């Protein structure tokens, strides 16, 4: 078992990484028969790392954590850790109820992950005390630093976030609600060194708005299939090149979101399909997701060529 660095050290590495690149959420590779493809995943992760992300988040939402069994999860996290080789932090996904999350956490810890992204719990709504208790229970069962993810049925109040942030191993919060009023209250309530991440679907669309309330770091699904586009957007946003930001938003990201919104689950399915269009061996999605229709694949290919052309790259 690899001993993880402490929460302060991991948080600092993430802070440094976030300042220099997007957060990469690699796709989990499956063969056509639906079985895990470790070699395909290794190649995909290596390609993402070559594009200099700030950190790598394997087996999270984009990586179809919800469809992995424990052995597959072990392979995915181990490969990500091996490929990263200490160059960037590796933050593995975990989730469901706290008892199941703790089992996945132990696997990630044994595999050498640096931290965990705690995905929303399964199915039921819960009061604020329960949301806090979920993290308390998990924190008591792993030494890995934790990043809470509020999305779906998980949404913290400022008072609850103070309680969560007081847990020694909870180092940050990823937000997928895009409620900027609530998010501003959370950033003001949290300790100064607490990390915040923009986890909105196609986060680039709202990156400027999130940055305005003190959350400049974001996850990029586009990085999984077009790091050239993701990197160009990140650089333009960082450098205040609003013309380039507007062009990429208008001609690529907004049409991508419009295509994504046609079918539930396309936030992952389209990303995987785009990666396949570029020759990456990531395979199909697993149920309950479905792969895009032929018509939507054609539209995606056209949009991908447009986006790559905007940054001087080719399909």
């Amino acid at each position: 078992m690899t001993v993880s660095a402490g929460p302060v050290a991991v948080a600092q590495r993430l802070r440094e990484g976030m300042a220099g690149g997007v957060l990469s959420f690699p796709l989990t590779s499956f063969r056509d028969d639906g079985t895990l493809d470790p070699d395909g995943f290794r190649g995909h992760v290596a390609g993402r790392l070559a594009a200099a992300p700030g950190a790598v988040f394997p087996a999270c939402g984009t990586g179809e954590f919800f469809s992995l069994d424990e052995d597959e999860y072990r392979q995915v996290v181990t490969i990500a850790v091996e490929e990263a080789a200490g160059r960037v932090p590796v933050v593995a996904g975990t989730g469901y109820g706290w008892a199941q999350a703790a089992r996945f956490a132990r696997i990630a810890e044994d595999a050498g992950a640096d931290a965990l992204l705690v995905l929303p719990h399964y199915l039921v709504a819960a009061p604020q005390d329960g949301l806090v208790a979920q993290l308390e229970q998990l924190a008591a069962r792993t030494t890995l630093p934790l990043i809470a993810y509020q999305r779906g049925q998980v949404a913290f109040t400022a008072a609850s976030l103070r309680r969560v942030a007081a847990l020694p191993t909870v180092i940050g919060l990823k937000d997928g609600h895009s409620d900027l009023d609530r998010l501003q209250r959370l950033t003001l309530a949290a300790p100064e060194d607490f990390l915040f991440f923009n986890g909105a679907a196609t986060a680039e669309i709202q990156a400027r708005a999130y940055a305005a309330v003190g959350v400049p770091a974001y996850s990029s699904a586009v990085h999984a299939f077009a790091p050239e586009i993701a990197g160009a957007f990140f650089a333009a946003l960082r450098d205040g090149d609003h013309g380039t930001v507007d062009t990429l938003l208008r001609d690529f990201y907004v049409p991508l979101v419009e295509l994504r919104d046609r079918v539930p689950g396309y936030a992952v399915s389209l990303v995987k399909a785009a990666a396949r269009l570029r020759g990456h061996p990531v395979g199909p999605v697993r149920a309950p997701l479905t792969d895009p229709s032929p018509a939507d694949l054609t539209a995606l290919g056209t949009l991908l060529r447009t986006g790559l052309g905007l940054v001087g790259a080719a399909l």
Side-chain angles (χ1 to χ4, degrees), residues 154-209:
V154 176
F156 293 100
T157 63
S160 293
L161 186 68
R162 291 189 190 97
R163 294 169 61 191
V164 166
L167 297 171
T169 57
V170 177
I171 62 174
L173 176 75
K174 182 180 180 185
D175 175 72
H177 283 296
S178 303
D179 180 341
L180 297 182
D181 179 292
R182 176 188 290 267
L183 186 58
Q184 182 70 90
R185 295 167 191 263
L186 296 180
T187 61
L188 294 172
E192 186 176 352
D193 59 352
F194 199 71
L195 302 176
F196 284 90
F197 308 84
N198 169 0
T202 316
E204 286 91 343
I205 288 285
Q206 300 186 64
R208 282 191 290 207

Side-chain angles (χ1 to χ4, degrees), residues 9-21 23 53-55 89 195 234:
V10 172
Q12 181 58 32
R13 287 190 66 206
L14 281 167
R15 186 175 291 105
E16 292 169 356
M18 286 152 42
L23 306 174
L195 302 176
F234 179 88

Side-chain angles (χ1 to χ4, degrees), residues 28 30 59-69 72-73 96 104 119 122 265 268-269 285-289:
T28 299
F30 300 121
C60 293
T62 306
E64 297 179 79
F65 166 79
F66 49 84
S67 76
L68 300 177
D69 66 28
E72 292 169 334
Y73 177 84
Y96 306 119
F104 283 101
L119 302 170
Y122 173 68
V268 176
S269 302
V285 293
R286 277 181 172 174
L289 302 180

Side-chain angles (χ1 to χ4, degrees), residues 1 8 66 91 116 119 142 177 187 189 195 227 233 241 247 272:
M1 181 179 73
V8 174
F66 49 84
V91 182
L116 295 167
L119 302 170
T142 179
H177 283 296
T187 61
L195 302 176
F233 184 91
D241 181 357
T247 296
K272 247 188 171 176

